[in-house]
């Protein structure tokens, strides 16, 4: 049994705010500033360079990788932290293409996050060997896996719509076609149960600053299936992925296992914040989290549909196809979101017309959902968004 | 006139320690913990997602890039922060190879940091187009630039020996041969005056956690000469290098200028620490820094050579060929460094036999040098390193 009232008490949640944007940036764990401060003073400050060994900094990417591994169903020692999600996507793709040298296609879908597609595009252009990035509609992905495909690159939960792919089925199809499956878990890790080992992902990548609450710019993670980890040859062959970084060998020899996916010096301040965030996750049962998440998204959908007929639901009603966010469509979506934010309901807007609300049981409860519905109803009923101040164009994150 | 007593007072320097390893990890700026703490509480904590705009997080990599730009002689708007140095080396190399498609060679030297060579090796292997990484002895580099060379990849100051290359001369030769010059400033930025614009570097990269004191795992920087910045096509084409990241365009269009070298979400905690570190640099005159650095290294060389005849100087005596570190060679270098560290003199060891000492006028003064010489003399005279505890093998950073 997970006590979500207890986890909620572990976050700093500003008064007067209902925060439904934890799928973009998780809130501050109360323990994080002291943890980072202690790391800075007692480790960086007092131990100086010796902290790389004495304070365990060098092993942090692997140690915290294992703690994330538990949340995504990974084998111990198969997950490592570092870099950004885009870099990790590149590493997985480059490895997969090399493992399937006779196959020209990276298959993805138009619901994928653009940066995944950009990284694939950049890799293909660099390689200059006539690879193709084939992007199909999300619903066509399952039937598009054929024997020209080297790698399937799929983000489980669509960042705009909240639609969830069936990764077990897609991965089985991918393997039957002789291809490799790369999962992007940006909107999955910490959002719902994931089973990378059981369902056979070849590679998985994700970020830590959304549902995992590591703070702005927290490092990404990468999973490499143990059956591949000693064979893949990293394209981004940095010194910390070397078998013996401090031998300063002139030739690159990859480290055993997933650690070869490390590149450069890990970001120790960000890792300290992540560590504080992961302490909150230690007691959480992922099935209980999923049940709570579905109850929250069901409640929000029912409330908004009853109170705001002008908003069109985008997220699937079918639980199996839903992540942990709810999106509605409205032509004035941008201005509506500004009006909501001005009233303390923080969600976000995704072009061209999507209002997106993330539900994170660790710190969002039924009372928050009801208050959010009430604010949304007020804004819609009174057309509060229809003011110049909310219609002004500005960059939205 | 730079007041180095004043800058020294801005660092946390633990009692009983003489810290000559700032060329590996700079010490803690006293203002950094409060800066990071305030960022975490008031920005991440209270502003949540809105801090990306409200607190200026999104522009931080460019804004701080300009402040580093001043220290390396770069044009405003030509430096941006992010990722690790290895990733930035990869970006510069990939761009350079694409700009010289008919030339097969990346030229570097055996004094370069291994990760630079590993990244070149990985890139070449990925591209699979028969490029060659040609590694010559440091003293042969100037004569090895010929018209087969696409890019010269040179680290100005050798991480082991402290030997400094003549970048102006190497770059002029490189350009005469029709090739591009990539400078790695890992041991230069904040260590000595650098003139990327005046001396015509095509690309320059560096890290911030050594002489710039941004803390463990602080982000790297990249400079792209403005004459190239709107033309290079990034291989690592991430969303934050896109012209309009929040348009979520399915196709990649590079941002104007150096910002196209951004990849993913920037590490905001590390950037806050860097910002505090850069405040210390604001008043520093780089020529005064260089004079102070040479005075410190001269004093250390003279002191050690007088007191410790068993140590062999590796670093050039010629000022023009010296960075801001001094290295000595001894077959028992590893054990000697352990004995020094046990007595509070922190330098570092680089295999197979090098004792390395960094001199950073911001917080190291003549008194520190004299104390360091005394500790070294004591350890050498009494053969204090010749104890089992110092001879034990362990990983050294």
């Amino acid at each position: 049994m997970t006590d979500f009232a207890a986890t909620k008490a572990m976050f700093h949640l500003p008064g007067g705010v209902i925060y439904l944007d934890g799928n973009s940036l998780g809130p501050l764990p109360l323990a994080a500033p002291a943890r980072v401060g202690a790391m800075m003073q007692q480790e960086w400050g007092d131990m100086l360079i010796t902290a790389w060994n004495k304070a365990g900094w060098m092993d942090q990417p692997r140690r915290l990788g294992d703690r994330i591994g538990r949340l995504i169903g990974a084998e111990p020692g198969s997950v490592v932290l570092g870099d950004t999600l885009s870099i990790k996507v590149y590493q997985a793709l480059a490895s997969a293409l090399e493992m399937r040298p006779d196959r020209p296609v990276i298959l993805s879908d138009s619901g994928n996050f653009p940066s995944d597609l950009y990284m694939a595009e950049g890799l293909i252009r660099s390689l200059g060997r006539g690879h193709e990035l084939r992007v199909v509609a999300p619903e066509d992905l399952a039937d598009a896996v054929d024997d020209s495909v080297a790698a399937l690159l799929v983000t489980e939960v669509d960042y705009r719509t909240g639609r969830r792919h069936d990764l077990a089925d897609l991965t089985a199809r991918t393997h039957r076609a002789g291809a490799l499956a790369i999962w992007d878990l940006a909107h999955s890790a910490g959002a719902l149960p994931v089973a990378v080992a059981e369902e056979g992902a070849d590679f998985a990548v994700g970020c830590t600053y959304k549902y995992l609450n590591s703070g702005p710019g927290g490092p990404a993670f990468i999973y490499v299936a143990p059956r591949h980890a000693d064979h893949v040859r990293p394209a981004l062959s940095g010194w910390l992925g070397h078998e013996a970084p401090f031998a300063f060998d002139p030739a690159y020899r990859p480290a055993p296992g997933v650690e070869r996916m490390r590149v450069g010096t890990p970001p120790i301040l960000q890792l300290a914040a992540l560590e504080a965030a992961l302490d909150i996750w230690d007691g959480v049962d992922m099935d209980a989290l999923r049940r709570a998440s579905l109850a929250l998204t069901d409640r929000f959908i029912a409330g908004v549909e009853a109170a705001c007929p002008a908003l069109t639901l985008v997220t699937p009603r079918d639980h199996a196809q839903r992540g942990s966010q709810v999106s509605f469509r409205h032509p004035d979506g941008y201005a509506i979101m500004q009006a909501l934010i001005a009233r303390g309901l923080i969600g976000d807007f995704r072009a061209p017309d999507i209002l997106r609300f993330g539900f994170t049981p660790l710190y969002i409860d039924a009372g928050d959902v009801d208050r959010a519905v009430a604010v949304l109803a007020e804004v819609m009923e009174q057309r509060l968004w229809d003011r110049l101040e909310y219609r002004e164009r500005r960059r939205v994150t």
Side-chain angles (χ1 to χ4, degrees), chain A:
Chain A
M1 205 45 226
T2 302
D3 178 356
F4 291 114
T7 59
K8 184 170 187 164
M10 294 177 190
F11 288 94
H12 174 70
L13 300 165
V17 167
I18 308 163
Y19 192 57
L20 302 185
D21 208 2
N23 50 336
S24 192
L25 176 70
L28 176 70
L30 284 172
R35 182 75 55 93
V36 173
M39 188 285 293
M40 293 179 75
Q41 300 277 8
Q42 292 154 32
E43 300 178 4
W44 178 14
D46 290 340
M47 298 182 192
L48 294 155
I49 189 70
T50 66
W52 281 106
N53 294 320
K54 267 195 213 161
W57 290 352
M58 198 47 85
D59 299 324
Q60 193 83 313
R62 192 182 55 188
R63 206 163 48 239
L64 299 188
D66 270 343
R67 293 175 69 182
I68 290 173
R70 186 187 74 83
L71 305 179
I72 62 168
E75 301 88 341
S78 62
V79 175
V80 74
L81 285 150
D83 306 298
T84 63
L85 179 50
S86 294
I87 295 290
K88 291 314 187 200
V89 165
Y90 190 89
Q91 288 185 295
L93 273 176
S95 294
L97 292 188
E98 191 165 340
M99 290 164 75
R100 292 291 181 274
D102 300 326
R103 292 178 169 225
V105 174
I106 296 172
L107 178 65
S108 194
D109 72 86
S110 55
N112 203 349
F113 189 66
S115 200
D116 289 24
L117 305 179
Y118 302 162
M119 294 306 285
E121 212 183 308
L123 174 63
I124 287 173
R125 214 181 42 82
S126 285
L127 297 180
R129 291 203 284 276
H131 286 95
E132 176 201 342
L133 173 61
R134 188 176 295 164
V135 179
V136 302
E139 58 275 18
D140 297 335
L141 203 52
D143 293 328
V145 193
D146 61 30
D147 63 9
S148 68
V149 174
L152 172 76
L153 174 62
V154 58
T155 298
E156 182 175 17
V157 179
D158 187 307
Y159 74 108
R160 281 169 309 194
T161 64
R163 186 265 317 121
R164 182 189 186 190
H165 275 303
D166 182 344
L167 287 183
D169 176 64
L170 283 172
T171 300
R173 287 168 184 258
T174 300
H175 288 167
R176 279 197 299 274
L180 297 162
I182 303 170
W183 300 1
D184 180 338
L185 300 174
H187 292 267
S188 307
L192 37 79
V194 178
V196 289
E198 192 186 325
E199 296 176 1
D202 296 290
F203 298 89
V205 295
C207 58
T208 60
Y209 51 75
K210 296 179 184 289
Y211 290 92
L212 297 177
N213 314 304
S214 73
F221 64 83
I222 186 166
Y223 163 82
V224 181
R227 64 186 175 279
H228 302 312
D230 284 330
H231 312 298
V232 295
R233 182 94 192 171
L236 301 174
S237 41
W239 70 306
L240 289 188
H242 192 281
E243 191 181 359
F246 295 95
F248 301 104
D249 187 341
Y252 181 73
R253 285 176 288 125
V258 72
E259 292 216 57
R260 63 185 58 191
M261 291 297 178
R262 293 178 65 166
V263 183
T265 305
I268 300 300
L269 278 72
Q270 310 278 160
L271 286 164
L274 172 60
E275 190 170 38
L278 288 175
D279 286 349
I280 303 177
W281 281 103
D282 276 348
V284 175
D285 175 77
M286 296 308 286
D287 292 316
L289 182 91
R290 178 65 174 161
R291 285 191 298 276
S293 159
L294 288 170
L296 293 172
T297 53
D298 277 346
R299 189 180 186 102
F300 186 70
I301 291 171
V304 174
E305 290 199 318
C308 312
L311 297 177
T312 308
L313 181 68
V314 175
T315 302
R317 288 177 204 282
D318 177 3
H319 283 179
Q321 292 184 52
R322 192 191 301 166
S324 196
Q325 72 177 64
V326 175
S327 298
F328 289 92
R329 180 163 277 152
H330 190 285
D332 287 329
Y334 177 82
I336 292 169
M337 186 51 73
Q338 299 313 306
L340 295 176
I341 291 171
R343 273 153 197 80
L345 172 57
I346 303 183
D348 61 19
F349 171 75
R350 284 293 175 257
D353 60 359
I354 285 184
L355 294 151
R356 184 175 86 154
F357 304 93
F359 294 87
T360 49
L362 251 52
Y363 51 87
I364 294 297
D365 58 27
D368 295 318
V369 170
D370 295 344
R371 280 185 290 277
V373 170
V375 173
L376 195 46
E378 186 196 0
V379 164
M380 295 308 296
E381 264 167 36
Q382 303 182 26
R383 296 186 63 89
L384 291 177
W385 77 87
D386 221 359
R387 295 181 186 171
L388 194 61
E389 72 209 80
Y390 300 136
R391 291 186 167 276
E392 275 169 16
R393 222 32 236 159
R394 65 176 176 92
R395 191 162 74 179
V396 183
T397 306

